[in-house]
Amino acid sequence: MLITTTPEFFYTKVTCVRSPKCEKALPRLTIVPVTDAVVLACRCLAAYGARKRTAVVWYFIFFFLSGFCSLLYELVWLRLSMAQFGVTTAMVSIVLSVFMGGLGLGSWAIGEWIRSRGHNLGIPTLRLYAAIELLIGVSGIVVPYELSIGRSVLEKLGSTSSAGYYVVSGVSVAIALLPWCTLMGATIPVGMLAIKRMLPHEASRSFSYLYMANVMGGLVGTVMPLFLIELLGFHGTLKIGAVCNGLIAVLAVDASMRSEKKESVETAPIASEPEVPSRSDNSLLALLFASGLTSMGMEVVWVRQFTPYLGTVVYAFATILGIYLAATFLGSRIYRYWSAGEGKENHLLWIMLAIFALLPLVVVNPKLMINPFLRLACGIAPFAGMLGFVTPMLVDRWAGGNPAKAGKAYAINVLGCILGPLIAGFMLLPWMSERWSLLLLSLPWLIVGTRPMMSTARSGGLVPRIVAYAFLPLVVGMLLGSKSYEQLYANRGEVMRDSTATVIATGSGMQKFLLINGYTMTALTPITKMMAHLPLASLPHPPQDALVICFGMGTTFRSLRSWGVPVTVVELVPSVPRLFGFFHKDAVEVLNSPLSHVVVDDGRRYLERTDRQYDVITIDPPPPVEAAGSSLLYSEDFYAIARQRLRSGGILQQWLPYGDPEDVTAVTRALSQSFPYVRAFSYGTVWGFHFLASDQPIHPWTAKELTEHLPAAAATDMMEWGPGNDPEVVFANLLRHEVPVNKLASLSPRTPALSDDRPINEYYLFRASMR
């Protein structure tokens, strides 16, 4: 609206140049009193502002959905990669590094492209954004097939060294994921450019706005897939993500077309706010790098610290990520409100960040009897919220609304996100406690908070001096006064660390326990002996060798060795076999035998890499039955691999702790559809089931015949812990509790066989809520 005053008549000439629909009661050019002109101007500007606010909201919707899809893809792609290439720390690190590396590469590359092309992109910015989102949606369909092709390449290569396996796996993952992740990284700079062109008055803080929307979408993308995977499986969940990306593309094209129509009727520009100058201060990039490194590195430490209280199910890890993202969103929202008033941060901001980084040291103290969720929230939410405030603030200041500079800044932040977990997982946690690891990761913020604090202490007033001098003693007190879960067992057991987990062996006599990341894995029990003696005694011929997947306390491995045959045991956590001697006095003798072979690897990956065959393969996945990743040792896909490593007539022994009816049915059907012959035995009333599966009929031996198959050393081993002293009585009791496989398979008629795509045992929240 253009307003021209005519002083001699106190009248105003009003010309609406935005749209003829802006004020229907007036023609395009009219003469009205000054007071009416003011009212009309306010109405016109309000309508214009409403349209602009609506336009901004559309960007929020775009990047909310985009953040949702990104987290969905990351979670599912990681799991699919684990199924194809193994559940090892190195493999998980490769997948996450490729994902984050793609984000950083895309952000930096598109920023450089925008800088080199200037305003001559040759395509409307929103349509470019729509094309990127549409291509990302294609990944939801294509990536599973790309990962399968990579797996096929490995199979054709045959048996390879561990290093060679990781190289080929890493290349396969990079080819499958990197292009799509690069596109994801390009979205924020392109979105910023679109805002700069269409809504220049919003440009200076556009990164923080898109960042906030992305984080909120990521929060939903952490929670919603937990239900989608349970109902649709991994592939079905990916299709939901692809549909969401397609929806973003359609909405962005529509917004672009509507924008062009509006521009076609506008004959004069609206004055915009001047662009905020950026700060070319490399210290801002250093802080962005530190925020990425410390936040992602601390997440690795947090998992170990809070597992004793949350458990090992997927919902525990989702809770950590969910609280982190929720607090980050809240922090970014506070920053948006604060920065709108041209606020300037106080050095206390950095002091608070340093203190909040150490809060987990206080709340993980096992002597604090508080709710696990509250414990977690108090431990990580304050720090995550502060980072949610600081990160967009730093990018906004560095970039000043410039998409190219924002792309570089975001790439630097992502680089820190890549290095953080690698440093924490491979350099800190294997050598020191979670307490000292957290302190070292907090060090950048302690330094940043301390530097201005010291100058304040020298020249500031009374209150700043008190805060400054109280800061370091508070940090030291938090460090020295903290207690970790493992310290409960320091005087009675052994603690070992590696890149995979913190392992604790504790107890005495028959009350010994093995804990991984503070969670009890197993105890000394005759069940683990039966996992060895039942399948070996059920063979139609003397055994030649055996394989056990999951070492635990080593009881099953030791019992297999009592048969005097070569035994290979595969364990994922390197420290677990080292504690064998804590649980069994003859551990050194057993391990030093030329018939013993210990392999530190993922059990499924070992089966894929080896070309050996065995008479017996016995499997004891980590408890509980709902444990994250455990379905990869219960699935049809896994049994297909295991069957190839059994000799004709060989037996696979699967232990299944009692779960809900859906779990029992899913595992039973997976076994029945993988092997033509399956038998099941119930061990007690609350323990679980011993399954025997083979490609040949399993002979129905009597208890006496099974006992006769036992060598003398095996019989002694079997009865070492009772019950009683007669193996025939134990076998007879077990045979009396044989359960028809059809009965177990029909406990939940609508439940499918457990597969890599449908991990029934791990995702259960929806069905549990419906009971």
Side-chain angles (χ1 to χ4, degrees), residues 622-655:
V625 68
E626 302 88 1
S630 63
S631 66
L632 295 173
L633 296 179
Y634 291 120
S635 68
E636 281 186 283
D637 312 75
F638 169 71
Y639 293 140
I641 301 168
R643 184 174 176 180
Q644 296 175 8
R645 299 294 167 250
L646 281 173
R647 294 190 182 92
S648 179
I651 294 177
L652 179 139
Q653 192 280 160
Q654 173 75 72
W655 168 252

Side-chain angles (χ1 to χ4, degrees), residues 305-327:
Q305 287 183 308
F306 291 101
T307 293
Y309 309 103
L310 300 176
T312 59
V313 298
V314 293
Y315 302 104
F317 306 122
T319 300
I320 294 176
L321 183 57
I323 290 179
Y324 176 84
L325 290 174

